[in-house]
């Protein structure tokens, strides 16, 4: 069994404002990391983390990330370990600054990048490439490139989905839920809204 997650990190000390813009509210109920459909945690690095089960949460869409990043820098990550897919992207000022994606189905050395990548990206990616080559390159039974997007995000926010990060209470995440206005549903007769 592997992780299938969407992660959204918002750089803010005002989590309530970010949650309001996303249409989520806190429940006050604690949970274990990645056990509930939607949860959050204030990281010690001043990033507010939202975790959703499934790698395709709506908050990873450009139409959500763009407007949110007009108010807060954001990092979005998608993780699907079952098919070795990972992506990370950084948005600020309403625009995508960089994006890194690995699609394992395209081979263990697939990597697609765009934008101005984080400062340590080149060295980190080279280390993963070297490890992949040492284990047999494209014929290896491992996929080191899978971690490249996620480590790019970790360099910025200090968190990676499958690592034990000091200062993070993995039993202290808080369950979130959508506000009734964020469901997107409306009565059929209010077609003009």
């Amino acid at each position: 069994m592997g992780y299938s997650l969407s992660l959204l990190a918002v750089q803010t000390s005002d989590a309530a404002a970010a949650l309001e813009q996303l249409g989520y509210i806190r429940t006050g109920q604690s949970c274990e990391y990645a056990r509930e459909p939607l949860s959050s945690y204030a990281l010690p690095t001043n990033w507010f983390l939202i975790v959703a089960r499934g790698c395709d949460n709506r908050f990873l869409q450009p139409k959500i990330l763009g407007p949110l990043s007009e108010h807060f820098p954001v990092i979005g990550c998608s993780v699907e370990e079952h098919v070795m897919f990972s992506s990370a992207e950084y948005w600020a000022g309403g625009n995508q600054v960089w994006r890194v994606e690995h699609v394992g189905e395209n081979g263990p050395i697939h990597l697609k990048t765009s934008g101005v990548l984080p400062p340590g990206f080149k060295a980190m990616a080279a280390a993963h490439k070297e490890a992949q080559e040492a284990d047999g390159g494209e014929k290896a039974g491992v996929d080191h490139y899978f971690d490249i997007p996620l480590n790019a995000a970790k360099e910025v926010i200090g968190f990676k989905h499958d690592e034990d990060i000091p200062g993070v209470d993995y039993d202290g995440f808080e369950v979130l839920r959508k506000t009734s206005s964020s469901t997107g549903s409306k009565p059929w007769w209010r077609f003009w809204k």
Side-chain angles (χ1 to χ4, degrees), residues 71-125:
H71 305 282
F72 317 97
V74 296
I75 292 271
C77 295
S78 187
V79 180
E80 183 56 74
E81 291 183 348
H82 306 95
V83 294
M84 300 306 283
F85 171 83
S86 63
S87 69
E89 54 194 298
Y90 176 69
W91 288 69
N95 298 303
Q96 185 182 81
V97 177
W98 57 259
R99 179 173 169 80
V100 182
E101 179 181 271
H102 172 69
V103 180
E105 293 173 334
N106 292 344
I109 61 169
H110 173 268
L111 189 67
K112 183 177 178 182
T113 64
S114 63
V116 180
L117 298 167
F121 180 83
K122 196 172 193 178
M124 179 269 296

Side-chain angles (χ1 to χ4, degrees), residues 95-164:
N95 298 303
Q96 185 182 81
V97 177
W98 57 259
R99 179 173 169 80
V100 182
E101 179 181 271
H102 172 69
V103 180
E105 293 173 334
N106 292 344
I109 61 169
H110 173 268
L111 189 67
K112 183 177 178 182
T113 64
S114 63
V116 180
L117 298 167
F121 180 83
K122 196 172 193 178
M124 179 269 296
H128 283 288
K129 179 180 180 183
E130 185 177 306
Q132 188 71 36
E133 289 172 0
D135 285 337
E138 289 197 48
K139 295 182 180 359
V142 296
D143 185 344
H144 292 283
Y145 277 56
F146 171 79
D147 285 320
I148 294 175
L150 305 172
N151 281 329
K154 181 185 175 188
E155 184 176 317
V156 178
I157 66 173
F159 183 86
K160 188 167 175 279
H161 77 287
D162 61 352
E163 293 181 3
D164 188 16

Side-chain angles (χ1 to χ4, degrees), residues 6-10 17-24 38 50 56-76 89-96 178 181-184:
S6 298
L7 307 172
L8 178 65
V10 182
L19 289 172
E20 181 179 356
Q21 188 168 344
L22 289 165
Y24 300 144
L38 193 62
I50 299 171
D56 57 355
N57 192 280
R58 73 171 186 86
F59 61 57
L60 294 178
Q61 298 173 11
K63 68 181 181 181
I64 303 293
L65 295 172
L68 183 63
S69 75
E70 290 175 3
H71 305 282
F72 317 97
V74 296
I75 292 271
E89 54 194 298
Y90 176 69
W91 288 69
N95 298 303
Q96 185 182 81
K178 292 180 183 178
S181 62
S182 70
T183 61

